[in-house]
Amino acid sequence: MTKDQQKDDRMEQAVAKKKKRSFWRMMIMTVVLFAGAVTIMQTFDQAGNDGRIEAGDEAPNFKLVTLDGSTLYERDNYEGKGMLLNFWGTFCEPCKKEMPVVQENYATLQDMGVDFWAVFVGETPLRVDNFINDLGVGLDYPILMDTQSEVEGAYGIYNLPVTFVIDGEGNVIEKYEGELTKEKLMELAEKSL
C-alpha cells in the first residue's frame, strides 16, 4: 500500500467515524428534545388541572377515624345533609383561633342540619391531642385524623385552614381559604343547605 493509499484509508476512516459520531449526536439531541417537549406538554396539561378541588367539583369520598380511633367517618354516608369540611394543622395560628369559634357555634350548625368535620393533616394523634388539650376548649365536633395525608392529597390542599362547603348531593359549593369567624361560619353553613 502506498503512502497515498494509506492516507486515503485514514481519511475514509476519519470521515466514517465523524459520520457515526454525528449520527449518535443527532439521536441524543432528538431524544432530549422529545423528552423536553413531553415535559412541557405535561406541565401545561397539569396547569389546567392541578388536582385541587374547587366549587362545582364532586367532593371526593374518604374514610377517616376520629382522634380517639373509636369512630369511622365516611363522607359518602352523609349525603343528604350539608357539610363543612375543614382542614387544619397544629402549626397553623388561624386554625387555633377558629377552633373555639366553631365550638361555640357547633350546636347551631347541628340544629341547621349541617355537619362540621375537622380534618387534621399529616400529624400524629398524640400531637393533635396535646394541641387540643392546650387550647383549653372541649370540642364536640368530629376531629378526624389524616395521618398519611391521603385526604389532604385528594382535595389538593396547599394552604391551611381551608373549608369546603359541600351540599347534600356531595358537590362542592365553595372552597374558603382562611380563618373562620362566626359570620363566615354561618354564611358557609347556609350555602351548604
Side-chain angles (χ1 to χ4, degrees), residues 33-95:
L33 288 174
F34 180 75
V38 167
T39 301
I40 289 170
M41 288 175 14
Q42 286 176 340
T43 301
F44 281 119
D45 185 44
Q46 290 173 355
N49 179 13
D50 63 2
R52 295 182 190 197
I53 300 299
E54 300 290 343
D57 293 335
E58 184 177 331
N61 187 38
F62 61 84
K63 295 177 184 179
L64 292 176
V65 295
T66 54
L67 176 59
D68 63 6
S70 66
T71 309
L72 176 71
Y73 280 76
E74 183 175 1
R75 205 224 35 91
D76 277 355
N77 287 343
Y78 286 84
E79 288 189 359
K81 294 177 79 173
M83 176 185 287
L84 300 179
L85 183 63
N86 184 266
F87 291 85
W88 48 15
T90 60
F91 53 87
C92 168
E93 280 302 315
C95 300

Side-chain angles (χ1 to χ4, degrees), residues 125-143:
L126 178 61
R127 184 171 180 161
V128 173
D129 191 45
N130 289 337
F131 171 78
I132 291 171
N133 289 334
D134 289 346
L135 279 176
V137 176
L139 302 177
D140 296 329
Y141 53 89
I143 307 295

Side-chain angles (χ1 to χ4, degrees), residues 108-177:
T108 304
L109 293 174
Q110 293 291 286
D111 291 344
M112 293 171 66
V114 177
D115 280 325
F116 185 95
W117 293 0
V119 179
F120 274 94
V121 293
E123 300 192 48
T124 65
L126 178 61
R127 184 171 180 161
V128 173
D129 191 45
N130 289 337
F131 171 78
I132 291 171
N133 289 334
D134 289 346
L135 279 176
V137 176
L139 302 177
D140 296 329
Y141 53 89
I143 307 295
L144 307 178
M145 300 304 301
D146 188 18
T147 55
Q148 302 299 316
S149 298
E150 292 172 1
V151 178
E152 175 187 19
Y155 278 79
I157 306 299
Y158 291 95
N159 298 313
L160 296 177
V162 60
T163 304
F164 290 87
V165 180
I166 302 171
D167 69 11
E169 296 175 5
N171 298 310
V172 176
I173 302 301
E174 184 175 334
K175 174 183 168 183
Y176 175 74
E177 292 182 340

Side-chain angles (χ1 to χ4, degrees), residues 177-191:
E177 292 182 340
E179 181 180 335
L180 291 172
T181 62
K182 179 180 180 178
E183 295 75 23
K184 184 51 99 172
L185 180 66
M186 291 302 135
E187 175 190 324
L188 295 178
E190 287 289 333
K191 288 180 180 181

